[in-house]
Amino acid sequence: MADAGMLRFHVPEPEVRPGGTPDFSNVTIAKAGSVPRPEIDVDPRTIRDMAFSIIRVLNRNGEAVGPWAGLLSNDELLEGLRHMMTLRTFDARMQMAQRQGKTSFYMQHLGEEAVSCAFRKALAPGDMNFPTYRQAGLLIADGYPMVTMMNQIYSNEADPLKGRQLPVMYSSKEHGFFSISGNLATQYIQAVGWAMASAISNDSKIAAAWIGDGSTAESDFHSALVFASTYKAPVILNVVNNQWAISTFQGIARGGSGTFAARGLGFGIPSLRVDGNDYLAVHAVAKWAAERARRNLGPTLVEYVTYRAGAHSSSDDPSAYRPKTESDAWPLGDPIVRLKNHLIGLGVWSDERHAQAEAEILDTVIAAQKEAESHGTLHAGGKPSTRDMFEGLYAEMPPHLRRQRQQAGV
Amino acid sequence: MPRRTMIEAIRDAMDVSMGRDEKVVVFGEDVGFFGGVFRCTQGLQAKYGKSRCFDAPINESGIVGSAIGMAAYGLKPCVEIQFADYMYPAYDQLTQEAARLRYRSNGDFTCPIVVRMPTGGGIFGGQTHSQSPEALFTHVSGLKTVVPSNPHDAKGLLIAAIEDPDPVIFLEPKRLYNGPFDGHHDRPVTPWSKHELGEVADGHYTVPLGKAAIRRAGSAITVLAYGTMVYVAQAAAEETGIDAEIIDLRTLLPLDLDTIVASVKKTGRCVVVHEATLTSGFGAELSALVQENCFYHLEAPVARVAGWDTPYPHAQEWDYFPGPARVGRALIETLEA
């Protein structure tokens, strides 16, 4: 055998860095309507290629085409558009509130609104999401009060979490939204456990696990896939691939080949990729996966291909690691613009109505913000009590905590 | 009253709990069909079915993480980590998730899980079958940590832990599984059938969490111990002839401080013993609490006898394990100080 020479260490790099011209020519995008819709009891082995394609419904002309189209009524689509617009407006106001010092921290969903908003409508009451910090659309689309979300962000006297949690780490059992943790990927395996519990209890409820592209590298991603596969848990394993994990491009988590969806194949889990900026496609795929879970056919892994158009968080400046105009070059466009154009094409929406809706939504969000701010913001007005800090750790306060509470003078 | 080993008592606790509450599920590595590498779950799968007692993949984070999800759903999982030495992959789930779920969600979600793990040395288990990681749990706000020392308590405490609404770390000294052990490795081991604490009532009973037990009343010195070290301390007291009051803590957190303080105020002296390594071990917390609460009653410095600050060795088992000779010396020194 010939001399192999010295080994060289490989570190993946994104195509372009700041100052360069955005380039997504390496992203292969299937034509809308071109990916078939298998029966839900399909043998996973026969649809392995779906983990490498992209399911899309809306074409360049804004028309809904192919086998994944036709599930939603015009009213449902109009409602979906409103949810996405509401989330975007909510984000903009809260980002501004953070800049104004009304809270310490915020994380936007810019460009990813379709993923959580459309997904929520595919679930039934009682199902449970195990979200990350970037799925607030699940709450918006389920009618969770914006004022309550803002109270949490402001850590004010009306904060349902009593000021104990960082902003955007919401929790609502009633709305099928599991308590968010700062520790990445932990909820992924918990979702599988919740789904196992539903099956153990012979219930009809299903769970949805959420994770970002970067966090798929965490061990709990693997744990979740093993357990979901072993016990055929009724869970939808969602991977939101927005291309970026703070400053780290998705190739650091994924490597140079394959897809995040393909990670499911080794576990025997049917794995689909979907256009994450296509409201109709997201909903249709979620519905397919939900039905599989509900019919005891087991887990489905879904990769949502999207782009994190905003900064990672209010503490992040993306211009330090990627071109400023990269989101404009993203080939799957903007989820709100695409649904808007589709609805205009259907003749049920117009630019005028859209502008009017934008104004109405802004008014609603501002009104909610005023109400929330009447309960205080992080540094002004009403706030949770010092006593709240000691309570609720255990069902019953143990003696050592009672002593510490007394020492704190409360 | 029937006599049972600690293994049988632990199994009985799960049996009783599963029989009373269908929300109780038991799983872990080799826990299902085989009944556990220590036989603690033997027969449970046959009796309650595979959906109540089942084998898990070799993935500690997965076992604890899925249990947390089940608890959020409304079940009461009692899971097993095969050895406490292997809990580290689950440490993120235990400390950042299970411990904080109630607090961070303001009671919206809760985590009534029990995580059983065989702990402690004295069995030639070497580095990864002998560890006593309790201080890594007592340092975590939101967890409860229990260490039984006999079959009667093991059953009562485990039932109490399963019924507790919060996450409980249940550390089972594997050296005590078949009989009490006082550190005299050169003598034959007495089985639990010969020991009064091997008497384990049938059916349901609990031993409350957060309550210590005085194993030997005495007036000269207070010994704070738990797990295997309770018997080592008893042997040391007998062999030195020192009238020690030996307190079996049973629950490390919440801690029964009242019992500790009352005893030290009476004796004026205190020795803390544990198998775990000394530095930042739970003994440091106990020593600090005694000093804070009993300063004006203390007639000698609080002494600590613990495992050395090394990984648990194999060949040097009995040089490492704090046996009755070492504990006895500490008793004498503290008494003469």
Side-chain angles (χ1 to χ4, degrees), chain A residues 208-400:
Chain A
W210 292 88
I211 204 165
D213 45 274
S215 303
T216 60
E218 291 278 9
S219 309
D220 279 339
F221 177 69
H222 174 265
S223 304
L225 265 58
V226 173
F227 278 63
S229 168
T230 298
Y231 301 110
K232 295 193 187 305
V235 61
I236 309 172
L237 300 161
N238 295 313
V239 179
V240 183
N241 175 10
N242 68 14
Q243 316 299 320
W244 290 97
I246 308 187
S247 74
T248 311
F249 94 113
Q250 46 109 358
I252 293 288
R254 181 178 60 78
S257 60
T259 64
F260 291 104
R263 298 274 197 250
L265 298 180
F267 296 86
I269 298 173
S271 304
L272 313 180
R273 284 180 100 213
V274 57
D275 178 347
N277 292 9
D278 180 338
Y279 186 94
L280 287 82
V282 169
H283 175 266
V285 170
K287 199 89 185 158
W288 189 87
E291 203 174 335
R292 266 184 53 78
R294 224 178 292 283
R295 291 206 189 168
N296 222 37
L297 294 164
T300 306
L301 190 146
V302 183
E303 175 186 347
Y304 303 87
V305 183
T306 182
Y307 184 85
R308 195 196 78 210
H312 165 70
S313 73
S314 57
S315 308
D316 174 49
D317 173 16
S319 70
Y321 50 82
R322 69 184 191 189
K324 277 184 177 168
T325 55
E326 194 175 81
S327 70
D328 300 333
W330 175 243
L332 295 175
D334 179 303
I336 292 179
V337 172
R338 285 174 68 192
L339 182 56
K340 173 193 164 193
N341 289 341
H342 174 60
L343 289 164
I344 290 173
L346 290 175
V348 296
W349 199 240
S350 65
D351 284 319
E352 295 72 38
R353 289 175 74 177
H354 193 82
Q356 194 187 339
E358 270 178 344
E360 283 168 14
I361 288 166
L362 182 59
D363 284 349
T364 311
V365 174
I366 288 173
Q369 193 176 0
K370 277 186 180 151
E371 190 185 333
E373 288 178 11
S374 76
H375 296 293
T377 59
L378 181 60
H379 300 298
K383 57 186 265 187
S385 73
T386 309
R387 206 181 164 87
D388 285 325
M389 179 171 74
F390 292 97
E391 283 170 355
L393 181 59
Y394 299 91
E396 197 180 326
M397 190 176 290
H400 70 285

Side-chain angles (χ1 to χ4, degrees), chain B residues 24 29 39 50 56 65 93 105 173 216-217 221 225 258 297 300 316 328:
Chain B
V24 177
E29 295 156 19
R39 319 314 297 152
K50 283 200 290 184
Q93 290 285 349
S105 72
R216 183 192 189 283
I221 195 162
D258 292 346
H297 294 79
Q316 301 91 335

Side-chain angles (χ1 to χ4, degrees), chain A residues 160 164-165 171-173 179-181 183 186 189-190 193-194 196-197 201 203 220 223 227 231 389 391-392 394-395, chain B residues 55-57 59 61-62 65-66 69-70 73 75 92-93 96-97 102-106 108-109 142-143 165-166 253:
Chain A
R164 295 174 191 150
Q165 270 278 47
S171 174
S172 176
K173 192 175 192 173
S179 159
I180 295 177
S181 167
N183 292 53
T186 50
I189 174 66
Q190 292 164 5
W194 196 97
M196 289 164 66
S201 308
D203 202 344
D220 279 339
S223 304
F227 278 63
Y231 301 110
M389 179 171 74
E391 283 170 355
Y394 299 91
Chain B
D55 291 314
N59 184 323
S61 178
S66 62
M70 289 182 192
Y73 174 91
L75 297 187
D92 189 27
Q93 290 285 349
Q96 312 304 302
E97 301 293 320
R102 177 189 294 277
Y103 187 74
R104 76 174 198 231
S105 72
N106 192 27
D108 198 22
F109 295 92
L143 295 179
D166 290 307
L253 199 125

Side-chain angles (χ1 to χ4, degrees), chain A residues 134-212:
Chain A
R134 222 186 295 280
Q135 276 87 44
L138 296 169
L139 289 171
I140 298 275
D142 201 52
Y144 187 73
M146 271 190 288
V147 177
T148 314
M149 294 169 76
M150 289 168 174
N151 289 335
Q152 196 281 325
I153 291 164
Y154 289 142
S155 288
N156 64 21
E157 66 187 9
D159 174 5
L161 307 184
K162 302 286 183 192
R164 295 174 191 150
Q165 270 278 47
L166 202 64
V168 315
M169 308 269 176
Y170 315 105
S171 174
S172 176
K173 192 175 192 173
E174 193 190 342
H175 288 267
F177 191 97
F178 185 73
S179 159
I180 295 177
S181 167
N183 292 53
L184 298 177
T186 50
Q187 77 289 344
Y188 218 59
I189 174 66
Q190 292 164 5
V192 176
W194 196 97
M196 289 164 66
S198 184
I200 287 168
S201 308
N202 303 126
D203 202 344
S204 59
K205 300 185 189 106
I206 64 168
W210 292 88
I211 204 165

